[in-house]
Amino acid sequence: KNLIIIYPYYRDIEIGKLLGEGAFAKAFHGKWQGKDVAVKELNLAGHSIIPRNIFQELRKEASVMR
């Protein structure tokens, strides 16, 4: 399984149905290079960079999915 953080350049990712939603992100099923992936779309309204606590949570999620 893969965790992909959506950036403006996500043309190669097919985004499917919404899997879940939290305070800072939505998670979708997706396809990337023929593989099933989880796609996380961050809501960073008011932030120019990813806040440290959110970044740490994303790293934890990614390590679980390896």
Side-chain angles (χ1 to χ4, degrees):
K1 294 181 180 182
N2 296 297
L3 178 69
I4 299 170
I5 302 171
I6 296 178
Y7 289 100
Y9 310 104
Y10 58 91
R11 292 180 201 99
D12 296 335
I13 302 169
E14 295 175 36
I15 299 174
K17 84 175 203 179
L18 178 67
L19 300 174
E21 191 170 352
F24 292 101
K26 293 180 182 178
F28 297 87
H29 173 264
K31 286 278 190 182
W32 180 64
Q33 297 183 344
K35 299 176 185 172
D36 289 315
V37 295
V39 179
K40 185 157 268 195
E41 181 181 66
L42 299 179
N43 175 9
L44 298 176
H47 298 281
S48 58
I49 60 172
I50 299 173
R52 180 177 220 87
N53 63 324
I54 296 172
F55 182 75
Q56 290 170 339
E57 284 297 317
L58 289 171
R59 287 186 62 170
K60 272 199 255 181
E61 288 180 20
S63 69
V64 169
M65 297 187 79
R66 287 184 177 189

